Amino acid sequence: MMTPKELIEVALLAGEIMLKNGAETYRVEDTMVRICSKGNLKFNESFVIPTGIVATVADEKNNLLTISKRIKNRTIDLNKISLVNQFSRDFEKHDFTYEKAIKILNDIQNKKGYSNKITPLAAALVCCFSTILFGGKMLDAISAFFVGLFTQIVLNILNSKNLSYFISYIIGGFSTATLALITVNFHLGINLDKIIIGSVMIMTPGVAITNAIRDTIAGDLLSGVARGVEASLIAIFIATGAGIALSILK
Amino acid sequence: MEQSIWFQLFSAFFVSFSFAILTNSPKKTLFYCGIIGMFGWLVNIIFLRLSFSPIIGVFFAALTVSKLSEIFARLLKNPVPIFLIPGIIPLVPGAGMYNTMIALIKSHFDSAIKTGIQTLLVAGSIAIALMLVTSFNWIFKVFQKEKFIK
């Protein structure tokens, strides 16, 4: 049996991994409460918003223990959320020691995603096929393939520099529109608008939008509004970047 | 719409499949993400061919995507967003956002408002579809738990 202090540390680490990688706040709260419910606690509560975690537990003698964590930079890695979800289920069923639980969570945290060579290729495929969905011709799809490839390489470099996310989205939108203009000028693509619409898809804030909706239904209005604002800001930044490129270069 | 339906479905499959790689979904779920995206697009095409408005088509497509995500999440024991996020991507109103931006650049404010509101409605219909399915699912879950306790 873990002490309340060890238990809350495990719960906090699990919650931190989930929130950093794009989980909904109600899922983080659920996971933390589930982990803490394993111990002999009188009271356990967690409060999560997209930028921070607060958790409190009380043992039988009413000794309160509160721990808080500020989340600064967030990325998207759904694999880690799935793994922590699985971990919390296992944690409920079996008896883990403190060291073992922390080791499993640290392993999850250090897990690498798909490599930097595969992501540009995936992005290129997204751009290529969404151009077709939006009614582009075959040549448009081919040029969107290259636009997506280069934009994702740029985004990967910007993300590794830990820049503020709004700068990377403006630069992303800018480079998409610029590359699309170049391909049209070299007569590789035909419809400029179809290429840009298809290529912008890799930056769509899908995670922010779905999380905003799911958080709002779960009753986390604060997180829902925060994520909704995030999603619409990202859309505006991408449009700003693309708009700057189009109005300067066209 | 010049491409054949099969080619469009194939494209929708790969859009969702590759977007799942970008969001780092687990390897064994990638194929199912693609399938969900494909079915969502199929529903969208059917409604467009029956000459419904795009808002209705996207609404029912989002309903399909959301319900399929819940089903696959149960079957494969993974959180719902892993399937939902890539599955919804083909339906995102990218063209509407682009046209709004272009109208703003050319200072055609009346057409900017027109396309902007249309885009917002499409996005809103996706949101409402997701809300409907998710909240119904949660209601069912509550009922199931109560039965279990009794």
Side-chain angles (χ1 to χ4, degrees), chain A:
Chain A
M1 183 69 79
M2 284 187 212
T3 63
K5 187 168 180 288
E6 289 172 341
L7 208 56
I8 200 171
E9 274 178 23
V10 172
L12 187 78
L13 185 56
E16 190 192 338
I17 296 172
M18 289 186 105
L19 195 58
K20 265 191 175 167
N21 291 298
E24 312 101 298
T25 54
Y26 80 86
R27 189 182 298 281
V28 179
E29 284 174 359
D30 275 2
T31 307
M32 291 177 73
V33 168
R34 190 182 288 167
I35 288 174
C36 286
S37 68
K38 194 67 167 92
N40 223 344
L41 300 172
K42 199 174 173 188
F43 168 85
N44 86 68
E45 194 83 53
S46 72
F47 174 68
V48 179
I49 52 172
T51 50
I53 301 175
V54 182
T56 304
V57 294
D59 62 5
E60 301 98 327
K61 290 169 196 156
N62 245 346
N63 292 322
L64 284 168
L65 188 63
T66 299
I67 194 162
S68 68
K69 180 88 193 172
R70 175 83 167 81
I71 305 292
K72 288 237 168 76
N73 40 5
R74 277 165 288 142
T75 54
I76 294 158
D77 191 335
L78 300 182
N79 191 22
K80 287 181 185 169
I81 296 171
S82 166
L83 288 171
V84 176
N85 223 39
Q86 195 56 49
F87 165 80
S88 79
R89 297 234 165 98
D90 292 346
F91 192 86
E92 225 179 4
K93 275 187 202 139
H94 311 291
D95 273 320
F96 280 107
T97 59
Y98 171 73
E99 286 77 19
K100 196 184 170 198
I102 291 287
K103 191 185 171 294
I104 292 175
L105 285 174
N106 274 329
D107 284 349
I108 292 174
Q109 193 166 28
N110 295 330
K111 234 186 176 86
K112 287 270 184 302
Y114 296 102
S115 77
N116 268 0
K117 284 171 193 150
I118 295 179
T119 46
L121 198 66
L125 285 178
V126 172
C127 299
C128 170
F129 286 113
S130 14
T131 308
I132 292 172
L133 282 190
F134 286 120
K137 298 257 168 29
M138 214 56 216
L139 278 176
D140 299 333
I142 292 167
S143 39
F145 183 90
F146 291 109
V147 174
L149 195 72
F150 284 111
T151 308
Q152 185 63 34
I153 291 172
V154 170
L155 284 175
N156 276 350
I157 293 169
L158 290 175
N159 285 343
S160 66
K161 297 273 188 296
N162 267 338
L163 286 173
S164 148
Y165 70 98
F166 94 95
I167 294 178
S168 51
Y169 281 115
I170 287 185
I171 295 178
F174 186 84
S175 71
T176 305
T178 315
L179 289 168
L181 274 171
I182 291 172
T183 55
V184 171
N185 274 348
F186 281 104
H187 300 290
L188 191 62
I190 307 158
N191 303 311
L192 178 67
D193 51 342
K194 298 283 184 329
I195 299 172
I196 293 180
I197 296 165
S199 308
V200 156
M201 293 308 265
I202 53 172
M203 288 179 283
T204 41
V207 177
I209 294 172
T210 43
N211 280 349
I213 297 166
R214 289 175 70 82
D215 272 334
T216 312
I217 313 165
D220 290 326
L221 297 178
L222 198 61
S223 313
V225 171
R227 287 231 162 90
V229 171
E230 186 190 3
S232 30
L233 277 182
I234 289 174
I236 291 171
F237 291 146
I238 298 170
T240 311
I244 293 172
L246 286 178
S247 46
I248 292 176
L249 302 172
K250 209 172 181 178

Side-chain angles (χ1 to χ4, degrees), chain A residues 26 77-79 82 114 122 136 239, chain B residues 3 18 23-25 78 101 138:
Chain A
Y26 80 86
D77 191 335
L78 300 182
N79 191 22
S82 166
Y114 296 102
Chain B
Q3 294 98 0
S18 322
T23 55
N24 261 324
S25 297
N78 264 306
M101 182 196 74
W138 276 341

Side-chain angles (χ1 to χ4, degrees), chain B residues 43-79:
Chain B
V43 173
N44 190 20
I45 293 179
I46 290 173
F47 274 88
L48 284 182
R49 292 262 159 123
L50 295 174
S51 60
F52 281 95
S53 88
I55 299 171
I56 303 286
V58 166
F59 176 77
F60 282 102
L63 274 184
T64 314
V65 167
S66 187
K67 191 61 213 168
L68 279 177
S69 308
E70 306 264 359
I71 292 170
F72 280 129
R74 282 275 176 85
L75 290 179
L76 296 168
K77 295 201 170 55
N78 264 306

